[in-house]
Structure formats: structure tokens, C-alpha cells
Amino acid sequence: CSANQSSTDSEKEVTLTISAAASAQDALEEIQKNYEKEHQNITLQDNFGSSGALQKQISQGAGADLFFSAAEDKFQKLVDD
């Protein structure tokens, strides 16, 4: 996202894993459609579930580039750990 990136860096294929509360699924899928149209080199991979289950997966080493929790305490536990 930096203005100092070369054109080859900005066109590099990237996959981002998004772990998100199931309650956010409809909204995130709509946002993703629009985002991926504008950023064709970026693929968004979803992992939907309960905030507690996702927090546990991440704390046990599951990869996640973004975590959208419906419960602030689950997010805060990851930050604290």
C-alpha cells in the first residue's frame, strides 16, 4: 500500500486469509466482491465461524491475516497473548 512500491510489487499475487465471525459473512462477502474487482492480484480466503472458535484456532497457530470478531474479549485475548 506504499507509494514507494514498484509496479511489479503492486502486481504480485497475494492471498489473504480472513477469519471472521459468521454474523459478518454476508457483509464481508459483498465487500470482498468489490475489493477483488479493484485488486485483481489479491485473493481473499474466508474462514467463518464463531468468534470463540476462531480465536482458539488463531491462538493454536492457524494463519489469519485479518480477524473480525463479534466479541471484543476474543479479539483482546489474542492481543494480550
Coordinates of all heavy atoms in Angstrom, one line a residue:
C1 N 0.8 -1.2 0.0 CA 0.0 0.0 0.0 C 0.9 1.3 0.0 O 0.3 2.4 0.1 CB -0.9 0.0 1.2 SG -2.1 -1.4 1.2
S2 N 2.1 1.1 -0.1 CA 3.0 2.3 -0.1 C 3.2 2.9 -1.5 O 3.2 2.2 -2.5 CB 4.4 1.8 0.4 OG 5.3 2.8 0.3
A3 N 3.3 4.2 -1.5 CA 3.6 4.9 -2.8 C 5.0 4.6 -3.3 O 5.2 4.8 -4.5 CB 3.4 6.4 -2.6
N4 N 5.8 4.0 -2.5 CA 7.2 3.7 -2.9 C 7.3 2.3 -3.5 O 8.4 1.9 -3.9 CB 8.1 3.8 -1.7 CG 8.2 5.2 -1.2 OD1 8.1 6.2 -1.9 ND2 8.4 5.3 0.1
Q5 N 6.3 1.6 -3.7 CA 6.3 0.3 -4.3 C 6.5 0.4 -5.8 O 6.0 1.3 -6.4 CB 5.1 -0.5 -4.0 CG 4.9 -1.0 -2.6 CD 3.6 -1.8 -2.4 OE1 2.6 -1.6 -3.2 NE2 3.6 -2.6 -1.4
S6 N 7.3 -0.6 -6.3 CA 7.4 -0.6 -7.8 C 6.2 -1.3 -8.4 O 5.4 -1.9 -7.7 CB 8.6 -1.4 -8.2 OG 8.4 -2.8 -7.9
S7 N 6.0 -1.1 -9.7 CA 4.8 -1.7 -10.3 C 4.7 -3.2 -10.2 O 3.7 -3.8 -10.1 CB 4.6 -1.2 -11.7 OG 5.8 -1.7 -12.5
T8 N 5.9 -3.8 -10.2 CA 5.9 -5.3 -10.1 C 5.5 -5.7 -8.7 O 4.9 -6.8 -8.5 CB 7.3 -5.8 -10.5 OG1 8.3 -5.2 -9.6 CG2 7.7 -5.6 -11.9
D9 N 5.9 -4.9 -7.7 CA 5.5 -5.3 -6.3 C 4.0 -5.2 -6.2 O 3.3 -6.0 -5.5 CB 6.1 -4.4 -5.3 CG 7.6 -4.7 -5.1 OD1 8.0 -5.7 -5.5 OD2 8.3 -3.8 -4.5
S10 N 3.4 -4.2 -6.7 CA 1.9 -4.0 -6.6 C 1.1 -5.0 -7.4 O -0.1 -5.1 -7.2 CB 1.6 -2.5 -6.9 OG 1.8 -2.3 -8.3
E11 N 1.7 -5.6 -8.4 CA 1.0 -6.6 -9.2 C 1.3 -8.0 -8.7 O 0.8 -9.0 -9.3 CB 1.4 -6.4 -10.6 CG 1.0 -5.1 -11.2 CD 1.5 -4.8 -12.6 OE1 2.2 -5.7 -13.2 OE2 1.4 -3.7 -13.1
K12 N 2.0 -8.2 -7.7 CA 2.4 -9.5 -7.1 C 1.1 -10.2 -6.7 O 0.2 -9.6 -6.0 CB 3.4 -9.4 -6.0 CG 3.9 -10.6 -5.4 CD 4.9 -10.3 -4.3 CE 5.3 -11.4 -3.5 NZ 6.2 -11.1 -2.5
E13 N 1.0 -11.5 -7.0 CA -0.2 -12.3 -6.5 C -0.1 -12.5 -5.0 O 0.9 -12.9 -4.5 CB -0.3 -13.6 -7.2 CG -0.5 -13.6 -8.7 CD -1.9 -13.1 -9.0 OE1 -2.9 -13.4 -8.3 OE2 -2.0 -12.3 -10.0
V14 N -1.2 -12.2 -4.3 CA -1.3 -12.2 -2.8 C -2.6 -12.9 -2.4 O -3.6 -12.6 -3.0 CB -1.2 -10.8 -2.2 CG1 -1.4 -10.9 -0.7 CG2 0.1 -10.1 -2.6
T15 N -2.5 -13.8 -1.4 CA -3.7 -14.4 -0.8 C -3.7 -14.0 0.6 O -2.7 -14.2 1.3 CB -3.7 -15.9 -1.0 OG1 -3.6 -16.3 -2.3 CG2 -4.9 -16.6 -0.3
L16 N -4.8 -13.4 1.0 CA -5.0 -13.0 2.4 C -6.1 -13.9 3.0 O -7.2 -14.1 2.4 CB -5.5 -11.6 2.5 CG -4.5 -10.5 2.0 CD1 -5.1 -9.1 2.0 CD2 -3.2 -10.6 2.8
T17 N -5.8 -14.4 4.2 CA -6.8 -15.2 4.9 C -7.5 -14.4 5.9 O -6.9 -13.7 6.8 CB -6.1 -16.4 5.7 OG1 -5.4 -17.2 4.7 CG2 -7.1 -17.2 6.4
I18 N -8.9 -14.4 5.8 CA -9.7 -13.6 6.7 C -10.5 -14.5 7.6 O -11.3 -15.3 7.1 CB -10.7 -12.7 5.9 CG1 -9.8 -11.7 5.0 CG2 -11.6 -11.9 6.8 CD1 -10.7 -10.9 4.1
S19 N -10.3 -14.5 8.9 CA -11.1 -15.2 9.9 C -12.1 -14.2 10.4 O -11.7 -13.2 11.0 CB -10.2 -15.8 11.0 OG -9.4 -16.8 10.5
A20 N -13.4 -14.5 10.3 CA -14.4 -13.6 10.7 C -15.6 -14.3 11.3 O -15.9 -15.4 10.9 CB -14.9 -12.8 9.4
A21 N -16.3 -13.6 12.2 CA -17.5 -14.1 12.8 C -18.5 -14.4 11.7 O -18.7 -13.6 10.8 CB -18.0 -13.1 13.8
A22 N -19.2 -15.5 11.9 CA -20.2 -15.9 10.9 C -21.3 -14.8 10.7 O -21.9 -14.6 9.7 CB -20.9 -17.2 11.4
S23 N -21.5 -14.0 11.8 CA -22.5 -12.9 11.7 C -22.1 -11.8 10.7 O -23.0 -11.1 10.2 CB -22.8 -12.3 13.0 OG -21.6 -11.8 13.6
A24 N -20.9 -11.8 10.3 CA -20.4 -10.8 9.4 C -20.3 -11.3 8.0 O -19.9 -10.6 7.0 CB -19.0 -10.3 9.8
Q25 N -20.6 -12.6 7.7 CA -20.4 -13.2 6.5 C -21.0 -12.5 5.3 O -20.4 -12.2 4.3 CB -20.9 -14.7 6.5 CG -20.6 -15.4 5.2 CD -20.8 -16.9 5.4 OE1 -21.1 -17.4 6.4 NE2 -20.7 -17.6 4.3
D26 N -22.3 -12.2 5.4 CA -23.0 -11.5 4.2 C -22.3 -10.2 3.9 O -22.1 -9.9 2.7 CB -24.5 -11.3 4.5 CG -25.3 -12.6 4.6 OD1 -24.8 -13.6 4.0 OD2 -26.4 -12.6 5.1
A27 N -22.1 -9.4 4.9 CA -21.4 -8.1 4.6 C -20.0 -8.2 4.0 O -19.7 -7.5 3.1 CB -21.4 -7.3 5.9
L28 N -19.2 -9.1 4.6 CA -17.9 -9.3 4.1 C -17.8 -9.9 2.7 O -17.0 -9.4 1.9 CB -17.1 -10.2 5.1 CG -16.6 -9.5 6.3 CD1 -15.9 -10.5 7.3 CD2 -15.7 -8.3 6.1
E29 N -18.7 -10.8 2.4 CA -18.7 -11.3 1.0 C -19.0 -10.2 0.0 O -18.5 -10.2 -1.1 CB -19.7 -12.5 0.9 CG -19.1 -13.7 1.6 CD -20.1 -14.9 1.6 OE1 -21.3 -14.7 1.3 OE2 -19.6 -16.0 1.9
E30 N -19.9 -9.3 0.3 CA -20.3 -8.2 -0.6 C -19.1 -7.3 -0.7 O -18.7 -6.9 -1.8 CB -21.5 -7.4 0.0 CG -22.0 -6.4 -1.0 CD -22.5 -6.9 -2.3 OE1 -23.0 -8.1 -2.3 OE2 -22.4 -6.2 -3.3
I31 N -18.4 -7.0 0.4 CA -17.2 -6.1 0.3 C -16.1 -6.8 -0.5 O -15.4 -6.1 -1.3 CB -16.7 -5.8 1.8 CG1 -17.8 -4.9 2.5 CG2 -15.4 -5.1 1.8 CD1 -17.5 -4.8 4.0
Q32 N -15.9 -8.1 -0.3 CA -14.9 -8.8 -1.0 C -15.1 -8.8 -2.5 O -14.1 -8.6 -3.3 CB -14.8 -10.2 -0.5 CG -14.2 -10.3 0.9 CD -14.2 -11.7 1.4 OE1 -15.0 -12.6 0.9 NE2 -13.4 -12.0 2.4
K33 N -16.3 -8.9 -3.0 CA -16.6 -8.9 -4.4 C -16.1 -7.6 -5.0 O -15.4 -7.6 -6.0 CB -18.1 -9.0 -4.7 CG -18.6 -10.4 -4.6 CD -20.1 -10.4 -5.1 CE -20.9 -11.0 -4.0 NZ -22.3 -11.0 -4.3
N34 N -16.4 -6.5 -4.4 CA -16.0 -5.2 -4.9 C -14.5 -5.0 -4.7 O -13.8 -4.5 -5.6 CB -16.7 -4.1 -4.1 CG -18.2 -4.1 -4.4 OD1 -18.6 -4.4 -5.5 ND2 -19.0 -3.8 -3.4
Y35 N -13.9 -5.5 -3.6 CA -12.5 -5.3 -3.4 C -11.7 -6.1 -4.5 O -10.7 -5.6 -5.0 CB -12.1 -5.8 -2.0 CG -10.6 -5.5 -1.7 CD1 -10.2 -4.3 -1.2 CD2 -9.7 -6.5 -1.9 CE1 -8.9 -4.1 -0.9 CE2 -8.4 -6.3 -1.6 CZ -8.0 -5.1 -1.1 OH -6.6 -4.9 -0.8
E36 N -12.1 -7.4 -4.7 CA -11.3 -8.2 -5.6 C -11.5 -7.7 -7.1 O -10.6 -7.9 -7.9 CB -11.8 -9.7 -5.5 CG -11.2 -10.3 -4.2 CD -11.7 -11.7 -4.0 OE1 -12.8 -12.1 -4.5 OE2 -10.9 -12.5 -3.3
K37 N -12.5 -7.0 -7.4 CA -12.7 -6.4 -8.8 C -11.6 -5.3 -8.9 O -11.0 -5.2 -10.0 CB -14.1 -5.8 -9.0 CG -15.1 -6.8 -9.2 CD -16.5 -6.1 -9.4 CE -17.6 -7.0 -9.5 NZ -18.9 -6.4 -9.5
E38 N -11.4 -4.6 -7.9 CA -10.4 -3.5 -8.0 C -9.0 -3.9 -7.8 O -8.0 -3.2 -8.2 CB -10.8 -2.4 -7.0 CG -12.1 -1.7 -7.3 CD -12.4 -0.5 -6.3 OE1 -11.4 0.0 -5.8 OE2 -13.6 -0.2 -6.2
H39 N -8.8 -5.0 -7.1 CA -7.4 -5.5 -6.8 C -7.3 -7.0 -7.3 O -7.4 -7.9 -6.5 CB -7.2 -5.4 -5.3 CG -7.3 -4.1 -4.7 ND1 -8.6 -3.6 -4.3 CD2 -6.5 -3.1 -4.6 CE1 -8.4 -2.4 -3.9 NE2 -7.1 -2.0 -4.1
Q40 N -7.2 -7.2 -8.6 CA -7.3 -8.5 -9.2 C -6.1 -9.4 -8.8 O -6.2 -10.6 -9.0 CB -7.4 -8.4 -10.7 CG -8.8 -7.7 -11.0 CD -9.0 -7.6 -12.5 OE1 -8.2 -8.1 -13.3 NE2 -10.1 -7.0 -12.9
N41 N -5.0 -8.8 -8.3 CA -3.9 -9.6 -7.9 C -4.0 -10.2 -6.4 O -3.2 -10.9 -5.9 CB -2.6 -8.8 -8.0 CG -2.6 -7.6 -7.1 OD1 -3.6 -6.9 -7.0 ND2 -1.5 -7.4 -6.3
I42 N -5.1 -9.8 -5.7 CA -5.3 -10.2 -4.4 C -6.5 -11.1 -4.3 O -7.6 -10.8 -4.7 CB -5.5 -9.0 -3.4 CG1 -4.3 -8.1 -3.5 CG2 -5.9 -9.4 -2.0 CD1 -4.4 -6.8 -2.7
T43 N -6.3 -12.3 -3.7 CA -7.3 -13.3 -3.4 C -7.6 -13.3 -1.9 O -6.7 -13.3 -1.1 CB -6.9 -14.7 -3.9 OG1 -6.6 -14.6 -5.3 CG2 -8.0 -15.7 -3.6
L44 N -8.9 -13.2 -1.6 CA -9.3 -13.2 -0.2 C -9.9 -14.6 0.1 O -10.8 -15.1 -0.5 CB -10.3 -12.1 0.1 CG -9.8 -10.7 -0.2 CD1 -11.0 -9.7 0.0 CD2 -8.7 -10.3 0.7
Q45 N -9.3 -15.3 1.1 CA -9.7 -16.6 1.5 C -10.5 -16.5 2.9 O -9.9 -16.0 3.8 CB -8.5 -17.5 1.6 CG -8.8 -18.9 1.8 CD -7.5 -19.7 1.7 OE1 -6.5 -19.3 2.3 NE2 -7.5 -20.8 1.0
D46 N -11.7 -17.0 2.9 CA -12.5 -16.8 4.1 C -12.5 -18.0 5.0 O -12.3 -19.2 4.6 CB -14.0 -16.6 3.7 CG -14.2 -15.4 2.9 OD1 -13.6 -14.3 3.2 OD2 -15.0 -15.4 1.9
N47 N -12.6 -17.7 6.3 CA -12.7 -18.7 7.4 C -13.8 -18.1 8.3 O -13.5 -17.3 9.2 CB -11.4 -18.9 8.1 CG -11.5 -19.9 9.2 OD1 -12.4 -20.8 9.2 ND2 -10.6 -19.8 10.2
F48 N -15.0 -18.5 8.2 CA -16.1 -18.0 9.0 C -16.4 -19.0 10.1 O -16.4 -20.2 10.0 CB -17.4 -17.8 8.2 CG -17.2 -16.7 7.2 CD1 -17.2 -16.9 5.8 CD2 -17.1 -15.3 7.6 CE1 -17.1 -15.9 4.9 CE2 -17.0 -14.3 6.7 CZ -17.0 -14.6 5.3
G49 N -16.8 -18.5 11.3 CA -17.1 -19.3 12.4 C -17.5 -18.4 13.6 O -17.6 -17.2 13.5
S50 N -17.6 -19.1 14.8 CA -17.9 -18.3 16.0 C -16.6 -17.6 16.4 O -15.5 -18.1 16.2 CB -18.4 -19.2 17.1 OG -17.3 -20.0 17.6
S51 N -16.7 -16.5 17.0 CA -15.6 -15.7 17.4 C -14.7 -16.5 18.4 O -13.4 -16.5 18.3 CB -16.0 -14.4 18.1 OG -16.6 -13.6 17.2
G52 N -15.3 -17.3 19.3 CA -14.5 -18.1 20.2 C -13.7 -19.2 19.5 O -12.6 -19.4 19.8
A53 N -14.4 -19.8 18.6 CA -13.7 -20.9 17.8 C -12.5 -20.3 17.0 O -11.5 -20.9 16.9 CB -14.7 -21.7 16.9
L54 N -12.8 -19.2 16.4 CA -11.7 -18.6 15.5 C -10.6 -18.1 16.4 O -9.4 -18.3 16.0 CB -12.3 -17.4 14.8 CG -13.4 -17.8 13.7 CD1 -14.0 -16.5 13.2 CD2 -12.8 -18.6 12.6
Q55 N -10.9 -17.5 17.6 CA -9.8 -17.1 18.5 C -9.0 -18.3 18.9 O -7.7 -18.2 18.9 CB -10.5 -16.4 19.7 CG -9.5 -15.9 20.8 CD -9.4 -16.9 21.9 OE1 -10.3 -17.4 22.4 NE2 -8.2 -17.1 22.4
K56 N -9.6 -19.4 19.2 CA -8.9 -20.6 19.6 C -8.0 -21.1 18.4 O -6.8 -21.5 18.7 CB -9.9 -21.7 20.0 CG -9.2 -22.9 20.6 CD -10.2 -23.9 21.2 CE -9.6 -25.1 21.8 NZ -10.5 -26.0 22.4
Q57 N -8.5 -21.1 17.2 CA -7.7 -21.6 16.1 C -6.5 -20.7 15.9 O -5.4 -21.2 15.7 CB -8.6 -21.5 14.8 CG -9.7 -22.5 14.6 CD -10.5 -22.2 13.4 OE1 -10.2 -21.3 12.6 NE2 -11.6 -22.9 13.3
I58 N -6.7 -19.4 16.0 CA -5.5 -18.5 15.8 C -4.5 -18.6 16.9 O -3.3 -18.7 16.7 CB -6.0 -17.0 15.7 CG1 -6.9 -16.9 14.4 CG2 -4.9 -16.0 15.7 CD1 -7.7 -15.6 14.3
S59 N -5.0 -18.8 18.1 CA -4.1 -18.9 19.3 C -3.3 -20.2 19.2 O -2.2 -20.3 19.7 CB -4.8 -18.8 20.6 OG -5.7 -19.9 20.8
Q60 N -3.9 -21.2 18.5 CA -3.2 -22.5 18.3 C -2.3 -22.6 17.0 O -1.8 -23.6 16.6 CB -4.2 -23.6 18.3 CG -4.8 -23.8 19.7 CD -5.9 -24.9 19.7 OE1 -6.4 -25.4 18.7 NE2 -6.3 -25.3 20.9
G61 N -2.2 -21.4 16.3 CA -1.3 -21.3 15.2 C -1.9 -21.3 13.8 O -1.2 -21.2 12.8
A62 N -3.2 -21.3 13.7 CA -3.9 -21.1 12.4 C -3.5 -19.8 11.8 O -3.5 -18.8 12.6 CB -5.4 -21.3 12.5
G63 N -3.3 -19.7 10.6 CA -2.9 -18.5 9.9 C -4.1 -17.6 9.7 O -5.2 -18.1 9.4
A64 N -4.0 -16.3 10.0 CA -5.0 -15.4 9.7 C -4.4 -14.0 9.5 O -3.6 -13.5 10.3 CB -6.0 -15.3 10.9
D65 N -4.7 -13.4 8.4 CA -4.2 -12.0 8.1 C -5.0 -11.0 8.7 O -4.6 -9.9 9.1 CB -4.0 -11.8 6.6 CG -3.0 -12.8 6.0 OD1 -1.8 -12.7 6.4 OD2 -3.4 -13.6 5.2
L66 N -6.3 -11.3 8.8 CA -7.3 -10.4 9.4 C -8.3 -11.2 10.3 O -8.6 -12.3 9.9 CB -8.1 -9.6 8.3 CG -7.4 -8.7 7.4 CD1 -8.3 -8.3 6.3 CD2 -6.9 -7.5 8.2
F67 N -8.6 -10.6 11.4 CA -9.6 -11.3 12.3 C -10.7 -10.3 12.7 O -10.4 -9.2 13.3 CB -8.9 -11.7 13.6 CG -9.8 -12.4 14.6 CD1 -10.8 -13.3 14.3 CD2 -9.6 -12.0 16.0 CE1 -11.6 -13.9 15.2 CE2 -10.5 -12.6 16.9 CZ -11.4 -13.5 16.6
F68 N -11.9 -10.6 12.2 CA -13.1 -9.8 12.6 C -13.9 -10.6 13.6 O -14.6 -11.6 13.2 CB -13.9 -9.5 11.3 CG -13.3 -8.7 10.3 CD1 -12.6 -9.2 9.2 CD2 -13.3 -7.3 10.4 CE1 -12.0 -8.4 8.3 CE2 -12.6 -6.5 9.5 CZ -12.0 -7.0 8.4
S69 N -13.8 -10.1 14.8 CA -14.5 -10.8 15.9 C -15.8 -10.1 16.2 O -15.9 -8.9 16.2 CB -13.6 -10.8 17.1 OG -14.3 -11.4 18.2
A70 N -16.8 -10.8 16.6 CA -18.1 -10.3 17.0 C -18.1 -10.0 18.5 O -18.9 -9.3 19.1 CB -19.3 -11.2 16.7
A71 N -17.0 -10.5 19.2 CA -16.9 -10.4 20.6 C -15.5 -9.7 20.9 O -14.5 -10.3 20.6 CB -17.0 -11.7 21.3
E72 N -15.6 -8.6 21.5 CA -14.3 -7.8 21.8 C -13.4 -8.6 22.7 O -12.2 -8.5 22.5 CB -14.7 -6.5 22.5 CG -13.5 -5.6 22.6 CD -13.8 -4.2 23.2 OE1 -15.0 -3.8 23.2 OE2 -12.9 -3.6 23.7
D73 N -13.9 -9.4 23.6 CA -13.0 -10.1 24.5 C -12.2 -11.2 23.8 O -11.0 -11.4 24.2 CB -13.8 -10.7 25.7 CG -14.8 -11.8 25.3 OD1 -15.5 -11.6 24.2 OD2 -14.9 -12.8 26.0
K74 N -12.7 -11.8 22.7 CA -12.0 -12.8 22.0 C -10.8 -12.1 21.2 O -9.7 -12.6 21.2 CB -12.9 -13.5 21.0 CG -14.1 -14.1 21.6 CD -13.8 -15.1 22.7 CE -15.0 -15.8 23.2 NZ -14.9 -16.3 24.5
F75 N -11.1 -10.9 20.6 CA -10.0 -10.2 20.0 C -9.0 -9.7 21.0 O -7.8 -9.9 20.8 CB -10.6 -9.0 19.3 CG -9.6 -8.0 18.7 CD1 -9.0 -8.3 17.5 CD2 -9.2 -6.9 19.4 CE1 -8.0 -7.5 16.9 CE2 -8.3 -6.0 18.8 CZ -7.7 -6.3 17.6
Q76 N -9.4 -9.2 22.1 CA -8.5 -8.7 23.1 C -7.6 -9.8 23.7 O -6.4 -9.6 24.0 CB -9.2 -8.0 24.3 CG -8.3 -7.2 25.2 CD -7.6 -6.1 24.5 OE1 -8.2 -5.4 23.7 NE2 -6.3 -6.1 24.7
K77 N -8.1 -11.0 23.8 CA -7.3 -12.2 24.3 C -6.2 -12.4 23.4 O -5.0 -12.7 23.8 CB -8.2 -13.4 24.4 CG -7.5 -14.7 24.7 CD -7.6 -15.0 26.2 CE -7.0 -16.4 26.5 NZ -5.6 -16.4 26.9
L78 N -6.4 -12.3 22.1 CA -5.3 -12.5 21.1 C -4.3 -11.4 21.2 O -3.1 -11.7 21.1 CB -5.8 -12.6 19.7 CG -6.6 -13.9 19.3 CD1 -7.2 -13.8 17.9 CD2 -5.7 -15.1 19.4
V79 N -4.7 -10.2 21.4 CA -3.8 -9.1 21.5 C -3.0 -9.2 22.8 O -1.7 -9.1 22.8 CB -4.6 -7.7 21.6 CG1 -3.7 -6.6 22.0 CG2 -5.3 -7.5 20.3
D80 N -3.6 -9.6 23.9 CA -2.9 -9.8 25.1 C -1.9 -10.9 25.1 O -0.8 -10.8 25.7 CB -3.9 -10.0 26.3 CG -4.7 -8.8 26.6 OD1 -4.4 -7.7 26.1 OD2 -5.8 -9.0 27.2
D81 N -2.3 -12.0 24.4 CA -1.4 -13.2 24.3 C -0.2 -12.9 23.4 O 0.9 -13.4 23.5 CB -2.1 -14.4 23.8 CG -3.1 -14.9 24.9 OD1 -3.0 -14.5 26.0 OD2 -3.9 -15.8 24.5

